[in-house]
Amino acid sequence: MDILRKLFPKPRRSTPASAEASVTAPLTDQQISAIMKDTSSHFEMKQLVVGAGQSIGKQREHNEDSLLALTSTISGNSGNVPFGLYIVADGMGGHQYGEVASNAAVRIMAGFILRKLHAYLYSVPSQPMQESLQEVIQSSVVEAHRFVQSEAPGGGTTVTAALVLGEQITLAHVGDSRAYSIYPDGRVEPITRDHSLVKRLEELGHLNRDEAANFPHRNVLIRAVGQGDVIEPDVVTIPFPQPGYLMICSDGLWGVVNDKDIYRAVADAHSLPRACQNLVEAANAAGGPDNISVVLVQLIG
Amino acid sequence: MDGVGFLPINYRWVLIIAVLVHLICLFWGKYSSLNVQSYFNLQNPYWQTIIVRPVQRGQEIKLDTKNITGPISTGDDSASRQQLQPGQTLVDRYNIQAVIGIGGMGSVYRARDLHFPNVVKLVAVKEMINLAPDPLIRQTIVQNFEREANLLATLDHASIPRIYDYFSVDNKSYLVLEFVHGKDLEAVINDTPGFLPEHQIINWAIQLCDVLSFLHAHKPDPIIFRDMKPSNVMIDHNGDVILVDFGIAKTFQTGQKGTMIGTEGYSPPEQYRGEATQLADIYSLGATLHHALTRRDPRLEPPFSFAERPVRRINAAVSSEFEAVINTSLMYNPAERFPSTDAMKDALMAVARKTGALSRIAPAMTAKINAIKPLWSFKCEDEIRGSALLYQGAIYIGCYDNNLYALSAADGEFQWKYPTDGGIVSRPAVYDGNLFFGSEDQRLHVVSTRSGKVVWTYFTEGKIRSSPRIAEGHAFIGSDDQTLHAVNLNSGRASWKFVTDDPIHSTPHVANELVYVGTEGGMMHAIDFRGGLKWRFQAKRAITSSPITNKQALFFASVDGTLYALDAKNGWAIWRFRLDKGSVSSPALAEEFLFIGAADGCIYCVDVRSSKEIWRFRTDNQVSSSPTIYKDSLYCGSVDGFLYCLEYRSGRLRWKFQSEGPITGSPLVFDDIVYIGSADHQVYALFA
Ligand SMILES: Nc1ncnc2c1ncn2[C@@H]1O[C@H](COP(=O)(O)OP(=O)(O)O)[C@@H](O)[C@H]1O
Ligand SMILES: [Mg+2]
């Protein structure tokens, strides 16, 4: 019994955070209160809560970003299934095809995924689907890719999409929008890897951090939805950060606001929509060179 | 120079130079040594356009937010307008017959040399259009071209076309060279319906190594080709290779940083820094061979992504040895590539000898296999299909002769055996000094490790092939009676039974306060500790494989040929990975890697988060054994009779040991010793 308990402890919300905290750097009072704020409220039911923010920025004439956030909670004797879909897409291309591409991508993907999951989530009896979540999200990107190619030729878009089901996040990612796990202790950890030339060269050790920061081709993508014959998104499944947040944003945010300020903007806010507003304001305060989109999600309970 | 193909021809010189200048100034400013910079407006935005792909041919779109690299179309109207027409004669000597190639700086023509009136002597005339606006720059370009031509004219090698002449007319420079009757390799690849045969490509690769070695050995300075790619390799009518396009071949002085040039997709990462050594040519040769073997054009793929597209995954007919040579030549880190084209040639020759592409010298491979001597071995009276358990210095293993054996782990000395009335094909478990194991006599036996005497037995109504799992004060075990039994360890009686629709061979797994078990009907069940069903998942065929979990997911394979990852809490499929055939092997986990064997004879390594294949290792028969990870090695048996030890991160073979029968059990490794049973009736202990 005891051995088993040790091996498979009941998930207890408060312990992991403070245990981790004790082995990392000491926390400020503010951080501790942020953790306490997170852990003090214990709900029996799991649910997703979300905030979103968007701005055209200070230097662009068009908004080529699109985002989508959709949250559903089911709880009953058949179980408790938090379900959410969160997508950020950053379009590019001439003739306004950039905005067409990003807008189409988020809608096509969401429509595709919902049609696939509908029968399993919103009907009885409910049972696991045969097709895997990674296959579904991967196909949705292919679907969006085909659509952009035929309806917005020349357009392309990044896509970072998170499908949350239960306590897992299945992510599909193309381009240089990013998903992050943000933890109450101040860690802001990227989940995705940019599909950009600069990142590629950096990963291969051919550019160091400084060289990368000053690299002239920072905006060269090596993969985008709508571009190229075949599209291969990065698809991974990871546990939802608990306690913590999932953040998805376009480079209009991460390109100008550093991790520390991102964490501050999130930790200082009393709600997720306010946190997103803080983030957008921080990006605009830093010059707002590009469109800004951000989605913040928390899994509570 | 295909990289600027879509721009109007008259911008090309400007752009090429502008690009170089920008790259030098902005990208690798600290290495810059050229002083032509000052001639150019550094704010010239053309450098950007150069890597932007116009999405439709002929239509030029400036992307304001992001640029996308990709394939670049060649040919455009203005280029053809500038082209010489058939019938035209250059410098009263070269009568143009046809355009045979369009490149970055102009066209390549087939022409007849009129100085030989009595014979038809064909030559290739390569045109380079010089449109630099600044006369000083233009002059420098012509001087460089002539210096280049002079250098090339001195090269004497069967795989390099002879240079006959060069001259400049107006704003064009011409190089007259030997006409190669044949096709360039890019055309060969595109015009061949399937894959080109390995022996063919190996022979070309060896010739390419020869000519590169010749260039690299050039005195006083080595010549780095820098632009190795299929379209710069001609295959002549004898099937031999000829290297064309020395347009950017530059004499190289060690330590001198050049400019970034070369063709995207084939160039190594360091070439983006302006570094080009012979190791860059080795990389590009590797990229060229990779393209030729896989038909996958690297210009259409993310840069430096060859490692993500192993040759044999696309073209299974290629030998693993040839693939290994290509992998080495394509290492990101130049220091990890072959140190020279001579070394690469040696490696290719070895492959060619082995695969018979060159000659048929038998490989001397067997020596290494027999070098592995077991520490000890022990012979039972029938096949061993199950797996061993180690407990307090003793090995416990079941045999098809109905006995469970206790052997000393140190020397294999027999300690005792315990007879049942049926074959034992599973792995025993131990709890509190007692062994638990099922037998085909339908019973779960509990035997004292000390005395080898029975403590109690528990009856099911079918043969037991599943291994017991001990947790929560219970032994969980499946049986052919289609039932999962939760047997109380104290009372020896069932606390509950969970009845399924099919026999259970899979070993139950306990995690997240759930018991997971698969059935021969292909159903995976998650059952709570009170015996209630939490969720189930239907695979298409039997789940004989025993599931394992990490923090989130449950992993198992099925005879339907799929490796599954399900959300352990709710049974939703997270991903499915296709094996080439079904599997009864149970997965093993290490770091972010999942390992499993399959009936296709392969041992697979798959990334847990993304379900991407990391590597696969092919044995000569089915792999029913389950892999075991110990330190940085993977151990796994195969029906081909071998126990394999692989480096688990790369799948490279460390050693293999041959038993005299199929190995279907799973290895046990402890204290640097591997214990494994074989259908040859023996238990072996080997140094890990
Ligand atoms: N000596 C030659 N004989 C026959 N064909 C040639 C010869 N040289 C080049 N070609 C053809 O012309 C194409 C372009 O020539 P290349 O020298 O590579 O020019 P570029 O610098 O424009 O790439 C080659 O791919 C090949 O098909
Ligand atoms: Mg060429």
Side-chain angles (χ1 to χ4, degrees):
Chain A
M1 278 296 245
D2 283 344
I3 293 174
L4 192 82
R5 284 274 143 70
K6 262 184 222 145
L7 284 173
F8 308 109
K10 282 213 179 73
R12 228 171 279 133
R13 260 8 58 241
S14 50
T15 26
S18 44
E20 261 161 36
S22 65
V23 294
T24 54
L27 299 184
T28 65
D29 288 349
Q30 206 164 22
Q31 282 171 313
I32 290 169
S33 75
I35 295 168
M36 295 318 289
K37 190 179 73 191
D38 258 3
T39 53
S40 56
S41 51
H42 178 87
F43 306 97
E44 250 178 61
M45 191 193 74
K46 291 233 174 252
Q47 63 184 303
L48 291 160
V49 289
V50 64
Q54 193 170 62
S55 165
I56 190 168
K58 296 247 181 261
Q59 298 176 26
R60 301 270 173 186
E61 285 173 17
H62 295 281
N63 175 27
E64 296 190 316
D65 279 8
S66 298
L67 66 79
L68 181 142
L70 187 140
T71 302
S72 145
T73 309
I74 301 175
S75 190
N77 76 343
S78 68
N80 170 206
V81 196
F83 164 66
L85 182 62
Y86 309 98
I87 312 178
V88 166
D90 173 355
M92 69 208 75
H95 309 309
Q96 259 123 74
Y97 278 154
E99 51 204 73
V100 177
S102 68
N103 184 50
V106 301
R107 287 168 194 261
I108 299 271
M109 285 180 66
F112 182 91
I113 292 166
L114 286 181
R115 273 196 300 281
K116 284 277 184 189
L117 266 62
H118 194 272
Y120 302 96
L121 278 176
Y122 308 119
S123 73
V124 189
S126 69
Q127 53 161 316
M129 179 172 69
Q130 279 280 312
E131 213 171 331
S132 71
L133 297 172
Q134 291 200 352
E135 287 163 282
V136 169
I137 202 165
Q138 149 101 33
S139 309
S140 77
V141 175
V142 172
E143 214 41 36
H145 176 70
R146 290 211 195 100
F147 185 91
V148 172
Q149 279 189 324
S150 68
E151 303 302 312
T157 184
T158 74
V159 145
T160 301
L163 190 168
V164 184
L165 196 97
E167 296 173 45
Q168 309 289 324
I169 309 170
T170 298
L171 271 165
H173 167 71
V174 178
D176 69 350
S177 297
R178 290 184 180 173
Y180 290 89
S181 294
I182 301 179
Y183 297 95
D185 61 8
R187 280 176 296 144
V188 176
E189 293 180 350
I191 306 169
T192 49
R193 266 171 35 181
D194 298 348
H195 296 139
S196 60
L197 183 61
V198 60
K199 189 73 191 171
R200 189 86 185 149
L201 288 166
E202 205 184 337
E203 280 168 5
L204 297 179
H206 289 276
L207 291 179
N208 63 32
R209 218 166 244 269
D210 287 345
E211 288 169 328
N214 299 315
F215 187 68
H217 314 291
R218 287 195 61 81
N219 55 350
V220 177
L221 291 190
I222 56 180
R223 264 191 245 179
V225 171
Q227 299 284 333
D229 291 343
V230 284
I231 183 79
E232 206 184 319
D234 289 347
V235 177
V236 296
T237 303
I238 55 158
F240 201 104
Q242 296 183 76
Y245 308 84
L246 166 69
M247 181 178 84
I248 308 177
C249 64
S250 60
D251 62 345
L253 177 66
W254 68 254
V256 291
V257 184
N258 67 32
D259 290 359
K260 233 177 92 213
D261 293 338
I262 287 178
Y263 173 71
R264 275 267 65 79
V266 174
D268 290 350
H270 56 77
S271 73
L272 295 183
R274 167 53 61 189
C276 291
Q277 192 53 39
N278 289 350
L279 289 167
V280 166
E281 277 163 15
N284 274 326
D290 205 346
N291 308 144
I292 307 147
S293 291
V294 58
V295 178
L296 260 178
V297 194
Q298 212 179 355
L299 179 60
I300 56 174
Chain B
M1 293 304 285
D2 298 347
V4 289
F6 66 90
L7 287 169
I9 194 95
N10 49 333
Y11 292 154
R12 282 197 180 121
W13 276 112
V14 182
L15 288 189
I16 289 159
I17 293 163
V19 165
L20 297 186
V21 168
H22 274 270
L23 288 171
I24 294 160
C25 303
L26 299 172
F27 185 5
W28 309 119
K30 60 182 174 186
Y31 304 125
S32 156
S33 59
L34 298 186
N35 45 22
V36 276
Q37 293 170 16
S38 53
Y39 292 106
F40 290 88
N41 172 4
L42 297 186
Q43 299 315 307
N44 184 335
Y46 286 131
W47 65 269
Q48 221 181 17
T49 331
I50 214 116
I51 28 185
V52 178
R53 177 169 78 120
V55 184
Q56 283 180 321
R57 287 183 180 210
Q59 174 193 5
E60 196 178 328
I61 297 169
K62 271 284 217 31
L63 305 182
D64 54 358
T65 334
K66 292 187 170 36
N67 302 331
I68 305 159
T69 57
I72 286 144
S73 58
T74 46
D76 56 64
D77 295 347
S78 48
S80 48
R81 253 183 276 127
Q82 297 243 349
Q83 253 169 19
L84 300 176
Q85 296 307 310
Q88 252 177 288
T89 302
L90 276 171
V91 291
D92 288 337
R93 174 166 183 183
Y94 303 107
N95 184 249
I96 302 296
Q97 294 189 329
V99 177
I100 51 176
I102 297 176
M105 305 189 199
S107 305
V108 181
Y109 306 93
R110 186 181 72 223
R112 186 179 163 189
D113 186 347
L114 301 177
H115 273 204
F116 297 85
N118 301 326
V119 291
V120 179
K121 181 182 156 71
L122 294 179
V123 294
V125 177
K126 180 167 176 173
E127 171 186 70
M128 281 158 275
I129 302 172
N130 185 348
L131 280 173
D134 187 308
L136 213 64
I137 299 279
R138 230 171 35 223
Q139 197 189 326
T140 312
I141 289 169
V142 172
Q143 278 165 5
N144 283 348
F145 164 74
E146 292 182 350
R147 201 178 48 226
E148 202 82 8
N150 274 304
L151 170 73
L152 293 181
T154 66
L155 300 178
D156 182 12
H157 191 277
S159 295
I160 299 174
R162 299 224 47 102
I163 308 289
Y164 297 134
D165 197 1
Y166 64 85
F167 52 91
S168 296
V169 184
D170 301 332
N171 62 348
K172 295 173 183 170
S173 297
Y174 294 92
L175 194 64
V176 180
L177 61 163
E178 182 183 335
F179 177 77
V180 181
H181 291 270
K183 257 197 213 180
D184 67 71
L185 182 56
E186 185 165 299
V188 173
I189 294 169
N190 292 337
D191 299 348
T192 308
F195 291 115
L196 289 159
E198 167 166 345
H199 67 87
Q200 180 77 83
I201 293 178
I202 277 215
N203 281 325
W204 292 336
I206 290 167
Q207 291 187 31
L208 285 169
C209 281
D210 277 335
V211 59
L212 286 175
S213 295
F214 169 81
L215 292 172
H216 294 167
H218 185 266
K219 292 278 165 344
D221 299 314
I223 296 172
I224 309 301
F225 187 66
R226 288 202 208 203
D227 203 14
M228 176 62 71
K229 58 175 175 176
S231 72
N232 287 341
V233 173
M234 302 268 317
I235 308 296
D236 73 10
H237 56 292
N238 294 323
D240 291 327
V241 306
I242 312 277
L243 217 43
V244 295
D245 196 358
F246 280 72
I248 61 163
K250 290 270 181 287
T251 56
F252 175 78
Q253 284 144 5
T254 320
Q256 178 192 314
K257 306 283 181 183
T259 48
M260 174 187 142
I261 222 165
T263 304
E264 219 177 318
Y266 299 97
S267 308
E270 72 272 16
Q271 211 155 324
Y272 286 77
R273 307 193 65 131
E275 288 168 21
T277 66
Q278 55 188 21
L279 300 175
D281 280 348
I282 287 176
Y283 183 97
S284 302
L285 175 55
T288 300
L289 298 174
H290 188 284
H291 182 178
L293 287 168
T294 62
R295 301 181 59 101
R296 292 266 214 111
D297 189 333
R299 288 165 298 186
L300 306 180
E301 307 285 342
F304 331 120
S305 61
F306 295 102
E308 294 159 26
R309 275 173 283 129
V311 169
R312 275 152 52 82
R313 203 194 297 160
I314 300 165
N315 178 357
V318 177
S319 66
S320 54
E321 292 84 357
F322 194 13
E323 181 186 70
V325 171
I326 291 171
N327 289 348
T328 305
S329 64
L330 284 171
M331 295 305 288
Y332 296 142
N333 180 355
E336 290 174 41
R337 294 177 205 146
F338 293 104
S340 66
T341 40
D342 283 336
M344 182 163 171
K345 179 184 166 181
D346 289 346
L348 287 165
M349 294 289 278
V351 176
R353 269 195 295 275
K354 175 128 195 285
T355 60
L358 223 53
S359 61
R360 305 202 174 271
I361 303 167
M365 184 65 191
T366 36
K368 183 107 191 256
I369 298 162
N370 297 336
I372 308 256
K373 284 264 177 293
L375 203 61
W376 54 258
S377 64
F378 176 86
K379 194 155 184 123
C380 308
E381 279 149 45
D382 205 335
E383 298 184 359
I384 297 175
R385 303 184 189 173
S387 311
L389 169 84
L390 186 138
Y391 179 70
Q392 294 188 342
I395 290 293
Y396 300 94
I397 191 161
C399 176
Y400 220 64
D401 66 12
N402 299 358
N403 289 301
L404 185 100
Y405 288 83
L407 309 172
S408 156
D411 51 17
E413 196 182 317
F414 173 82
Q415 299 193 326
W416 51 258
K417 65 181 177 184
Y418 169 88
T420 71
D421 297 321
I424 303 170
V425 299
S426 56
R427 187 196 290 276
V430 65
Y431 182 78
D432 215 9
N434 291 332
L435 286 179
F436 292 71
F437 56 93
S439 158
E440 290 187 347
D441 67 7
Q442 313 200 346
R443 280 178 293 171
L444 169 67
H445 298 261
V446 182
V447 174
S448 162
T449 51
R450 242 156 294 129
S451 62
K453 296 280 174 338
V454 63
V455 181
W456 49 265
T457 56
Y458 171 89
F459 279 83
T460 73
E461 282 158 42
K463 293 180 174 179
I464 299 184
R465 273 94 179 235
S466 160
S467 305
R469 178 76 61 193
I470 293 179
E472 287 284 301
H474 286 80
F476 297 97
I477 193 160
S479 157
D480 279 3
D481 65 8
Q482 314 191 344
T483 303
L484 174 73
H485 301 260
V487 184
N488 187 295
L489 295 181
N490 295 323
S491 69
R493 261 178 293 198
S495 291
W496 48 262
K497 298 177 186 180
F498 183 91
V499 181
T500 73
D501 298 329
D502 299 283
I504 300 174
H505 294 170
S506 157
T507 297
H509 180 77
V510 178
N512 308 311
E513 307 192 358
L514 292 170
V515 185
Y516 301 97
V517 72
T519 70
E520 293 305 290
M523 190 70 86
M524 175 57 65
H525 301 80
I527 300 160
D528 66 26
F529 286 154
R530 292 186 309 271
L533 179 70
K534 181 83 186 292
W535 56 258
R536 47 188 209 167
F537 177 90
Q538 178 73 58
K540 292 190 189 72
R541 293 184 61 191
I543 301 172
T544 309
S545 163
S546 308
I548 54 164
T549 49
N550 68 1
K551 275 202 202 100
Q552 314 86 40
L554 179 78
F555 306 98
F556 60 92
S558 161
V559 177
D560 68 14
T562 308
L563 176 61
Y564 291 92
L566 307 185
D567 188 322
K569 293 203 173 137
N570 54 36
W572 282 75
I574 292 171
W575 52 254
R576 300 187 291 187
F577 177 85
R578 290 296 309 169
L579 307 163
D580 280 353
K581 278 196 183 153
S583 169
V584 296
S585 163
S586 304
L589 267 168
E591 299 170 44
E592 295 291 285
F593 304 124
L594 191 66
F595 307 91
I596 194 150
D600 59 18
C602 289
I603 301 165
Y604 292 84
C605 171
V606 175
D607 183 289
V608 167
R609 293 176 7 151
S610 67
S611 71
K612 288 260 184 312
E613 179 176 323
I614 309 288
W615 53 258
R616 69 172 74 181
F617 178 88
R618 194 173 295 277
T619 75
D620 290 329
N621 209 326
Q622 301 187 9
V623 180
S624 319
S625 166
S626 303
T628 300
I629 301 295
Y630 180 77
K631 295 188 177 163
D632 51 4
S633 295
L634 174 149
Y635 301 85
C636 192
S638 164
V639 173
D640 68 12
F642 283 95
L643 175 73
Y644 292 89
C645 171
L646 312 178
E647 202 179 282
Y648 82 65
R649 288 188 187 81
S650 64
R652 256 195 294 268
L653 179 67
R654 286 219 154 106
W655 52 260
K656 55 183 179 175
F657 168 76
Q658 186 162 28
S659 75
E660 284 146 45
I663 297 181
T664 54
S666 304
L668 167 75
V669 195
F670 187 80
D671 257 354
D672 295 328
I673 295 173
V674 198
Y675 304 92
I676 186 78
S678 161
D680 68 7
H681 304 189
Q682 309 218 56
V683 185
Y684 298 93
L686 308 158
F687 281 117

